[in-house]
């Protein structure tokens, strides 16, 4: 199985600050990497797919990058509504696996 | 608008069975792979099952293989998850999810609101 190691586990950021979340795959996943946002009490929402493609309707302050085994999600200018849990997920092969999540809070 | 509405969750004793349903609307159901993903209380996300567009191919992680069965009824735009021999570790909110396309190894583009399954005596 492909293990997805996500860091940090938690993060606190000021409004307007740029934040980054990392995801490391245990083997190469050919950019088959997605990022999800989950707000408190809500279901997850797809933000980024294919490592860097923005899902329809997602604000442009969100961006994804990476290749091989290392991927990252960047939020350029933290907004109040960005406070949430974030998860990465590989769709390269079965079993589909998720990172353990990052809790992003406003400082 | 894509809508996925789960039902069938509840309290069940260990070793018993439960069947979840998901009603889909707002897209051509038969054109997409579908999945179930679960989230234990205060925990991360775990993929549970995926089914092909026709239902002929199914995929599971080892944690549920042999106990859970995913199925679909394209005529009713409905997805199901039959869960047998339930364990306490199966306690979670179960989400119905639509894959990005007609391929199973793609992200989950849309999610339902989830249904809570609690396995306890």
């Amino acid at each position: 199985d492909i293990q997805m190691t996500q860091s940090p586990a938690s993060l606190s950021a000021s409004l307007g600050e740029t934040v980054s979340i990392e995801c490391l795959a245990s083997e190469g996943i050919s950019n088959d990497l997605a990022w999800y946002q989950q707000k408190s009490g809500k279901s997850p929402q797809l933000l980024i797919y294919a490592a860097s493609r923005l899902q329809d309707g997602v604000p442009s302050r969100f961006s994804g990058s990476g290749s091989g085994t290392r991927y990252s999600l960047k939020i350029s200018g933290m907004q109040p509504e960005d406070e949430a849990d974030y998860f990465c997920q590989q769709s390269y092969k079965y079993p589909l696996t998720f990172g353990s999540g990052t809790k992003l809070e406003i400082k | 608008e894509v809508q996925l509405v789960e039902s069938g969750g509840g309290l069940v004793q260990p070793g018993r069975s439960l069947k979840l349903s998901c009603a889909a609307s707002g897209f051509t159901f038969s054109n997409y792979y579908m999945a179930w993903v679960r989230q234990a209380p205060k925990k991360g996300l775990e993929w549970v099952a995926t089914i092909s567009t026709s239902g002929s191919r199914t995929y599971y992680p080892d944690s549920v293989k042999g106990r859970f069965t995913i199925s679909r009824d394209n005529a009713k735009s409905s997805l199901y998850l039959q869960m047998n021999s339930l364990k306490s570790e199966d306690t979670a909110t179960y989400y119905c999810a639509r894959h990005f396309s007609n391929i199973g190894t793609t992200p989950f583009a849309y999610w339902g609101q989830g249904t809570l399954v609690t396995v306890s005596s």
Side-chain angles (χ1 to χ4, degrees), chain A residues 1 32-34 36 38 42-46 48-50 55 85 87 89 91-100, chain B residues 33 37 39 43-47 50 59-62 95 99-100 103-114:
Chain A
D1 298 3
D32 289 334
L33 191 283
Y36 300 88
Q38 185 178 31
K42 301 293 187 181
S43 55
Q45 302 291 312
L46 178 65
I48 302 277
Y49 64 96
Q55 174 70 332
D85 293 329
F87 298 91
Q89 179 240 330
S91 54
Y92 181 66
K93 65 179 182 182
Y94 295 111
L96 307 176
T97 48
F98 291 87
S100 54
Chain B
Y33 273 53
V37 179
Q39 185 171 34
K43 299 292 185 182
L45 299 166
E46 181 186 17
W47 167 71
T50 285
Y59 307 85
Y60 307 93
D62 287 346
Y95 294 102
H99 277 278
F100 201 81
I103 301 173
T105 48
T106 55
F108 307 107
Y110 295 94
W111 301 63
Q113 85 287 349

Side-chain angles (χ1 to χ4, degrees), chain A residues 22-42:
Chain A
E22 309 290 322
C23 207
L24 177 65
S26 60
E27 63 183 83
I29 56 173
S30 294
N31 288 3
D32 289 334
L33 191 283
W35 291 97
Y36 300 88
Q37 177 192 65
Q38 185 178 31
K39 296 183 180 180
S40 181
K42 301 293 187 181

